[in-house]
Amino acid sequence: MKLRTSISRVGGRMLHINTNGAERQQTHSSVQSTLRVNHALNVLLLNFVGGQKIALHPQTSYKVLSLESVKQVHLREIEGLMPKYRVRPSACLPVLNSAAFLLGVGSSLLPHKASMSMLAAMATSIAEHCNSQLREFNEHDVAEPSIRQAVRMQRDSGFDFAQHVEEAQDHQHTESHLTSCVRAATTATACLTSKI
């Protein structure tokens, strides 16, 4: 990160004020928020898939199982980074876990296309949030290559899964009320866990 100073005039004299400490604090807060949110979103998606598997087993599709496996790897990677940056998990996790699990069970009772669309909507919403985090890192000159890589991998897996679902449904992507609600809930989770 570049060392920056601000210049102000006091009593006719020029004062150079080092603002590097404030920027470093802002960067640390941004990194902590990124890790906490990504941890919560991974847990959210895994509990959603877990709820689907309970109701659908053994009919759970290979692609869903593959997404679950990838997200478990992402979760372990993020959990490995959290102690280094002194990040605690979100205090909202117990409630989010239960809500995501019940939503997963409920979605599995819907027709297969609707169930998969809901999961794809959640994966897409998470991927879009990861894109926002990467843009924020670029705007604030945050280096942290290990965190960037973790966020990038999470983003790519979400978009890949959503694309697979759309192709499997012959590109008949429709934004239903249910998928809109899932996307809104995922976005609200990201906002909430960034603070708590």
Side-chain angles (χ1 to χ4, degrees):
M1 181 180 293
K2 303 178 185 114
L3 178 68
R4 293 180 184 156
T5 60
S6 61
I7 302 173
S8 60
R9 188 177 294 275
V10 178
R13 290 181 300 185
M14 299 289 281
L15 296 178
H16 294 263
I17 304 167
N18 188 348
T19 59
N20 194 44
E23 286 186 11
R24 192 164 40 242
Q25 179 61 35
Q26 181 183 3
T27 298
H28 187 67
S29 296
S30 177
V31 166
Q32 285 185 318
S33 175
T34 297
L35 287 173
R36 184 167 50 255
V37 169
N38 277 278
H39 178 261
L41 292 177
N42 264 304
V43 171
L44 186 79
L45 191 139
L46 286 170
N47 276 285
F48 183 89
V49 171
Q52 282 192 332
K53 281 173 60 182
I54 289 289
L56 291 176
H57 186 77
Q59 290 106 354
T60 308
S61 77
Y62 167 76
K63 194 63 183 175
V64 171
L65 295 175
S66 176
L67 176 68
E68 181 186 39
S69 177
V70 168
K71 290 301 181 182
Q72 284 171 343
V73 171
H74 293 169
L75 183 62
R76 285 195 295 271
E77 187 174 355
I78 290 170
E79 286 176 339
L81 290 168
M82 289 173 80
K84 177 181 176 183
Y85 295 93
R86 298 180 179 179
V87 180
R88 56 161 179 75
S90 170
C92 304
L93 275 186
V95 174
L96 294 174
N97 288 347
S98 301
F101 183 83
L102 291 173
L103 187 60
V105 171
S107 74
S108 66
L109 303 176
L110 298 171
H112 179 70
K113 281 188 177 182
S115 176
M116 290 297 285
S117 292
M118 288 177 69
L119 181 55
M122 183 178 288
T124 301
S125 186
I126 291 172
E128 289 170 352
H129 189 74
C130 289
N131 254 348
S132 298
Q133 290 174 327
L134 290 170
R135 278 195 298 271
E136 186 180 335
F137 275 21
N138 289 335
E139 287 169 8
H140 295 99
D141 296 327
V142 179
E144 307 301 342
S146 58
I147 297 177
R148 279 178 175 271
Q149 179 65 12
V151 174
R152 197 175 293 117
M153 286 172 59
Q154 183 163 328
R155 175 200 64 187
D156 294 345
S157 67
F159 282 140
D160 288 346
F161 179 79
Q163 183 180 4
H164 170 80
V165 170
E166 188 175 345
E167 288 171 357
Q169 296 181 359
D170 299 323
H171 298 277
Q172 296 175 355
H173 178 71
T174 56
E175 188 75 7
S176 69
H177 293 301
L178 285 174
T179 56
S180 297
C181 288
V182 168
R183 289 172 68 87
T186 306
T187 302
T189 297
C191 294
L192 184 64
T193 55
S194 69
K195 307 296 182 188
I196 304 174

